[in-house]
Amino acid sequence: RGVHPSTRISFVRKMVAPQFTTSPEGLVKLNDFLSSRSYLEGYSPSKTDSFYYLQISSDIDHDKLPHLARWHRHIGSFGVGAFESFPGETPIFEAEEAKDEQPEKAAASGDDGESSDEFEIPESSDSDSDVDLDALARKRKEEQQKKEAEKMAKAKSIVVFDVKKFDEETDLREIEKYLRDEIKMDGLTWGSSELVDVAYGIQKLRITAVIVDIKVSTDVLEEKITNMPGEKVQSVDIVSFNK
């Protein structure tokens, strides 16, 4: 007794970490909180960090929310797959008291508006206010993994190789023709080439290749070039490797 009749009580575990919302005002408060911190709790990433990371879109205004953007980028660098190994527990917010309107059934029964000492303790069902955080986290994790997989499938690199011939009698243009005609792989596109002077009239072949990272290994490609029949290739070096 002594409890307001329209007060709803929910028994949930109170989180230790500060509570923020994903509203524009809540993100501003979170940005301010992170202005002097790398993580939301302690000095290493925790499940509180992963929880908020999964709630917040990556489309963050870097100019207005620089600390939040920095934190979000840093937590994302661990990869969603590592979130489960973060220490701590997924936070659960303490439900705020909600002031409901007078029940319609009270008005229908001719309630004169006098206060009642009865109050409702909802059943264990969380359908009206509580969120299934585990399910939400799994969904965001699956979406993130799907995006990462799609990104990896499209990621390409530009690799420049220096190919040195075995002896002076070897024709570098013959080596180039072999590379273009015989070394063909899914995800490999040969680009421009040139002959570069080394010393004393000796030259080497410099050739560019565009590769799909997930399909072509530079180690395998180097091995294929080196193993050209006839012992024509002395060595293969990577001059540059750009994403």
Side-chain angles (χ1 to χ4, degrees), residues 15-207:
M15 68 175 289
V16 177
Q19 177 177 339
F20 300 97
T21 67
T22 55
S23 65
E25 295 79 8
L27 293 181
V28 170
K29 291 181 179 179
L30 182 55
N31 179 73
D32 293 341
F33 182 80
L34 289 166
S35 64
S36 60
R37 298 171 175 84
S38 297
Y39 306 103
L40 293 177
E41 287 186 351
Y43 301 97
S44 62
S46 67
K47 281 188 169 58
T48 300
D49 291 287
S50 61
F51 168 78
Y52 276 106
Y53 176 87
L54 294 171
Q55 308 299 314
I56 300 172
S57 169
S58 59
D59 186 18
I60 300 172
D61 190 327
H62 291 240
D63 294 328
K64 295 181 179 180
L65 305 170
H67 307 299
L68 178 61
R70 178 260 305 163
W71 168 85
H72 195 274
R73 183 170 58 252
H74 176 58
I75 298 301
S77 68
F78 290 95
V80 177
F83 286 1
E84 293 181 0
S85 64
F86 284 2
E89 297 181 359
T90 299
I92 299 177
F93 299 142
E94 183 178 19
E96 296 182 354
E97 292 184 349
K99 296 183 179 180
D100 302 329
E101 297 179 356
Q102 282 292 97
E104 293 182 3
K105 64 180 182 179
S109 62
D111 190 347
D112 59 4
E114 294 181 0
S115 64
S116 169
D117 290 337
E118 296 181 358
F119 62 95
E120 176 187 359
I121 298 179
E123 298 179 359
S124 59
S125 172
D126 299 328
S127 60
D128 47 342
S129 61
D130 294 337
V131 179
D132 188 343
L133 300 180
D134 290 337
L136 179 60
R138 286 195 298 270
K139 181 179 179 181
R140 291 296 298 272
K141 177 180 178 181
E142 291 172 357
E143 292 176 350
Q144 187 70 17
Q145 289 177 333
K146 182 179 179 181
K147 290 180 180 179
E148 290 178 357
E150 292 175 350
K151 184 178 180 180
M152 289 180 61
K154 297 178 180 179
K156 295 181 179 180
S157 298
I158 301 175
V159 188
V160 178
F161 294 99
D162 270 358
V163 182
K164 295 180 181 179
K165 58 185 180 179
F166 190 78
D167 54 36
E168 295 182 1
E169 297 179 358
T170 302
D171 186 354
L172 289 173
R173 291 303 181 187
E174 181 183 351
I175 296 177
E176 178 185 358
K177 185 176 185 305
Y178 173 81
L179 302 187
R180 295 184 185 278
D181 295 346
E182 302 299 330
I183 302 181
K184 297 180 179 180
M185 304 169 62
D186 183 23
L188 167 65
T189 303
W190 292 108
S192 61
S193 66
E194 62 176 333
L195 299 183
V196 179
D197 292 331
V198 180
Y200 306 106
I202 300 175
Q203 294 182 312
K204 60 184 176 182
L205 172 66
R206 178 165 292 173
I207 187 167

